Amino acid sequence: MSSALKTQLLTGPALRRVPAIPGAVSNGNLRPARVSKSKFCPIRAVVNSDQNKATEAATKSVDAKDVNGSLLVSSSSSKEGLVDVRAVITIRKKLKEKLTEKIEDQWELFVNGIGQGIMIQLISEDIDPVTNSGKSVESAVRGWLPKPVTSSNVNIFQYEANFGVPSDFGNPGAILITNLHGKEFYLLEIVVHGFDGGPVFFPANTWIHSRKDNAESRIIFKNQAYLPSQTPAGIKDLRREDLLSIRGNGKGERKHHERIYDYAVYNDLGNPDKDKDLARPVLSGEERPYPRRCRTGRPPTKTDPLCESRIEKPHPVYVPRDETFEEIKQNTFSSGRLKAVLHNLIPSIAASLSSSDIPFTCFSDIDKLYNSGFLLKDDDEQNGRSKLFLATVIKQFLNVGDRLFKYETPAVIRRDRFAWLRDNEFARQTLAGVNPVNIEFLKEFPILSKLDPAIYGPPESAITKELIEEELHGLSVEKAIEEKRLFILDYHDLLLPFIEKINSLPDRKTYASRTVFFYNKAGMLRPLAIELSLPPSRSSPQNKHIYTHGHDATTHWIWKLAKAHVCSNDAGVHQLVNHWLMTHASMEPYIIATHRQLSSMHPIYKLLHPHMRYTLEINALARQSLINGGGIIEASFSPGRYAMELSSAAYKSFWRFDMEALPADLLRRGMAEEDPSMPSGVRLVIEDYPYAADGLLIWCAIKEWVESYVAHFYSEPNSVTSDVELQAWWSEIKNKGHHDKRNEAWWPKLETKEDLSGIITIMIWTASGQHAAINFGQYPFGGYVPNRPTLMRKLVPQENDPGYEKFLLNPQHTFLSSLPTQLQATKVMAVQDTLSTHSPDEEYLGQVNQLHSHWINDPEVLNMFDKFSANLEEIEKIINTRNKDFRLKGRCGAGIPPYELLLPSSGPGVTGRGIPNSISI
C-alpha cells in the first residue's frame, strides 16, 4: 500500500460541519463529506459519538418472517429522541492469502477500527418531506478485532456500525455503502438490529468497489421483494438509480471492478492480427445469426475493424465483477483445474506425443491411458513454476504424480469393457447417453431433405421403404410407423452444407448422416440402417452410401466404421449445438437482461438469481480458450474452423424459445403425445427413455415451484402487463439478447401469470436440468474414444479405393487410424474430464447456500421452496428405484450403467450425476 494512500486513510476524507436538517439530529460532530455523486439522497447522517453497542445479543439467525417493523425504542438510547441501532457487516476474505495481503489486512483492521474504512448510510422506506428522498442516517464501520463468524468459516468476519436513529425513522429499506479502502472487499450481508420485529437483513453477496475506482456508493436493498408499483416511496429513486448504474452507457472498455451488463455480438472468436488463418466471421445478422454475449468494449483488431481484439490466456476476460468465480471455484477450475488443463497439462501432453502424433495402433494403447498412464515429457520452455504447478495442482485432480498422467476409467466401459461394440448400446445412448435430445419419431416415408435440390441433389434419402422392410422381417413400414416403432437420428440437412469445407481440412473426413432405428416388442431400440452422404458431384450426383449390420466379417467392420461416423457427428452436434448453443449461449442474454431490467428487489430477479451463477464467467473462458479460432473445440471436433458457423446454422434453423420447454421439445420430435391426464401433459412414446422420463419429473417440479411463486406475487388482474420492469426485461431478451430472432412469430406473449410461469420455467430448466443432462456425462461417455470419437480422419473404405486391400488385411488398424490421434484424443479427454466435474462449492437445484439463507423475507415463499426441495428429494428416490427396475433395459441390466445424470444431488468431482442450479461449467 502506498504511503499516500495510508495518509489519505489515516486523515480521512475532507470534513465539514453538518447543518441542521429536519428529520435528523445535528450534534455538532464533524463527519465525512458526501462521497457519492448520486442525486437521490444527500447524506444527513448522525454519527453516534459514543459508539455504544445496541442492547440486542450478538448476531443470531432468525426467521425471515420476523424481519419487519418500526423502531424499537429502548431505554438505553444514548440521546433523547434517538434509538440505538446496530448494523453487523459480514465480509468474506480470501481463504489463502499471500504475506502482503495479510499485512494489508492488518492495516485494514486498524483503518476500520478508527472508522475510516467503510461508511454506511441507512435509508428509510419513508420519505423525508424536506428532501423528498428517503430518510437517512449514517455511520462508520468500526471494530478493532473482528472475529470469524464460526470456526468452520474462518475467512468470514464481522464488523459493526452504530447509529442514533430518530424514532420516526420508519422501516429501513436500503443501505448505501462506501469503501474508503484502496481495494475492493466482498460483502456477504448486513444485518441491522434495533428495529421492532427483529433483525432486518440486507443480503449482498457482492464485491464493493473502492472509492478510488468509482466514487459512487453501492446500494444494497433489504430482502423484501417488491414489484415496481409496490416500491416504498423512500427507496423508489434508489431502485431506478441502481438499475441505471448496472446498464452503463455502452461506451468504452470495461474495467475489472465494474459490474456493467451490456450486449455485444460474437465478434471475438478470431485473432486475425496474430494469423490470417485465425480470422473468423462475425456471428450476427441474417446470414449468421446468433445470441448476444456480454460486452467487454475491447478495441477492434487492426486487421478487421468489425472484430474485437482478444485477451489471450492467462489474462482474464471482462465479466461483471459479481459474475466471476468465487475463490473455491477459482482454485478448482479457473486458476486450478481448467487453466491447468489448458495452459499446463495439454502443452505437456503435446510435448509428450507431438513427436509421435500417431494413431492408436491397438485397443490396448487406449486401455493404457486408464491402466498404466504415460509419462509427461518436460517441455524445455516450461519453467520450474509450471512444473511445480503440475506436480501439485494437477496431481490433486487428474492423477498426475511423478509426471505420470493417467485417466479414470469412463463409466461406459467400467462395467462392461465391450458394451460400446454392440448395436443395442449404440442405440441405447440415443435415449440415455450424453446427447439424448436428437432422436425423433420417423413419421413418414420417403425421408426427404429440405435443402435446395439444385445445390444438394435429389431430396429423397437412399434409405428406402424396401430396405427397411428387409430388416423388419415381415412388418411393413406403414405398420411400424402406425405403432410408433421407427425412429431416426438425422443430421443430414445440418451437416451437408459444411461437408466439402470440413473434408478439405487436414485429417478431417466426415459425412452428413442419417440413422434409422426400430423399437422392438422386447423394449429394445436397435439400428436398422445408416446413410452417410457426401455433397453431389458430376460423377456421383447422389453421393449417398447405405450401411446395414451384416453377419460376415467385412460387413461387420464396415458397419462399425459407419457407426463411428454417426457417433462423431453426434459428438459435434452435441457440443456445438445442444450444449454450447442451446444452454450456454442462449442463457447468456437472459442473465444480462435480468440484471439490466429487473431490480434486485424484484421477485423474478430473486427467483432467477441462483440460476445465473458463474454462467457469464464460464462462457467468457470458453470464448477465450475453447470455442475460439484455433481453440480446443476446433482442434478436437470434426467441424474444425467451421465449428461456430455450424452452431450459427443450427441457431438459424432450429432454435425456438418456446420449443426449449421439455414437453414441447418431446412433442416436436414425436417422442411424446399430448395427454392431459399426465402431470407434464404428455405421455412418452417410449416409456424406457431415461432422459425424458426423469427430465419430466424435474420439469414438473420446477413448473410447480415457479407457478406457485408467480401466483403469490402476481395475484391482481393486469399485474403482469403493468409491471414495467418485467415488460422491459422480456422486450430486451427478444429485441437485444436474441436480436437476430426478434421478428419471429413464435415468441411467447407476456400478458398473464401463466405466460410468465411458462417463460421462467423454460429458463430454469435450461440452466439446471437440461444443462446437467447434456454436460456431466461428457467424460463418462466420451472418455473412451471408440465409443464417441469427436472427429474422424478417414472415410469408410469402398471396394474401388486404393487402400481397400489394406483394410481387408488389417481392419483394426483401419478403424483405429480413422479415430482421433493419440494427441487429439488425450487433449479432448482432458477437457471432457474437466467439463464433467462438479466444483466443491456447487449449489444444486432445491438447495440454498447457508450464507444465502436470508434471500427473501416471505414465509409463504420459503414454505413453497421447502416443498420444492422435498419434491426433488422424492424424485431422487424415484430415479434410484427406476435404475433397479429390470423391465427398464435402457438403465438396468448386466453391465448397463444406471441413468443418474438427472439425480438432483451430487458430491464434487466427476460423478455422472447432480443438477447444479446454474450453468457453472
Coordinates of all heavy atoms in Angstrom, one line a residue, residues 132 224 610 648 697 737 743 773 885 890:
N132 N -37.6 15.2 0.0 CA -38.3 14.3 -1.0 C -37.6 13.0 -1.3 O -37.8 12.4 -2.4 CB -38.7 15.1 -2.2 CG -39.9 14.4 -2.9 OD1 -40.8 13.9 -2.2 ND2 -40.0 14.5 -4.2
Q224 N -36.7 -7.8 1.1 CA -38.1 -7.8 0.8 C -38.3 -7.7 -0.7 O -37.7 -6.8 -1.3 CB -38.8 -6.6 1.6 CG -40.3 -6.5 1.4 CD -41.0 -7.6 2.1 OE1 -40.7 -7.9 3.3 NE2 -41.9 -8.3 1.5
P610 N -30.3 -17.6 -8.4 CA -29.5 -18.8 -8.2 C -29.1 -19.5 -9.5 O -28.2 -20.2 -9.6 CB -30.3 -19.7 -7.3 CG -31.4 -18.8 -6.7 CD -31.6 -17.7 -7.7
S648 N -24.0 -21.5 -35.6 CA -24.9 -20.5 -36.1 C -26.0 -21.0 -37.0 O -27.1 -20.6 -36.9 CB -24.0 -19.4 -36.8 OG -24.8 -18.5 -37.4
L697 N -39.9 -35.4 -14.7 CA -40.1 -35.3 -13.2 C -39.5 -34.0 -12.7 O -40.1 -33.2 -11.9 CB -39.4 -36.4 -12.5 CG -40.0 -37.8 -12.7 CD1 -39.2 -38.9 -11.9 CD2 -41.5 -37.9 -12.2
G737 N -31.2 -9.3 -26.7 CA -30.4 -10.6 -26.4 C -30.5 -11.6 -27.5 O -29.5 -12.2 -27.8
N743 N -38.0 -10.9 -34.8 CA -39.2 -10.8 -35.5 C -40.0 -12.1 -35.7 O -41.0 -12.2 -36.4 CB -38.9 -10.2 -36.9 CG -38.4 -8.8 -36.9 OD1 -38.8 -8.0 -36.1 ND2 -37.4 -8.5 -37.7
A773 N -28.1 -32.7 -17.9 CA -28.3 -33.9 -18.7 C -27.3 -34.0 -19.8 O -26.9 -35.1 -20.2 CB -29.7 -34.0 -19.2
D885 N -34.9 -51.3 -11.8 CA -36.1 -51.9 -12.4 C -35.6 -52.7 -13.7 O -35.4 -52.0 -14.7 CB -37.2 -50.9 -12.7 CG -38.5 -51.6 -13.2 OD1 -38.5 -52.8 -13.5 OD2 -39.5 -50.9 -13.2
G890 N -33.0 -49.9 -20.7 CA -32.1 -48.8 -21.0 C -31.3 -48.2 -19.9 O -30.4 -47.4 -20.1

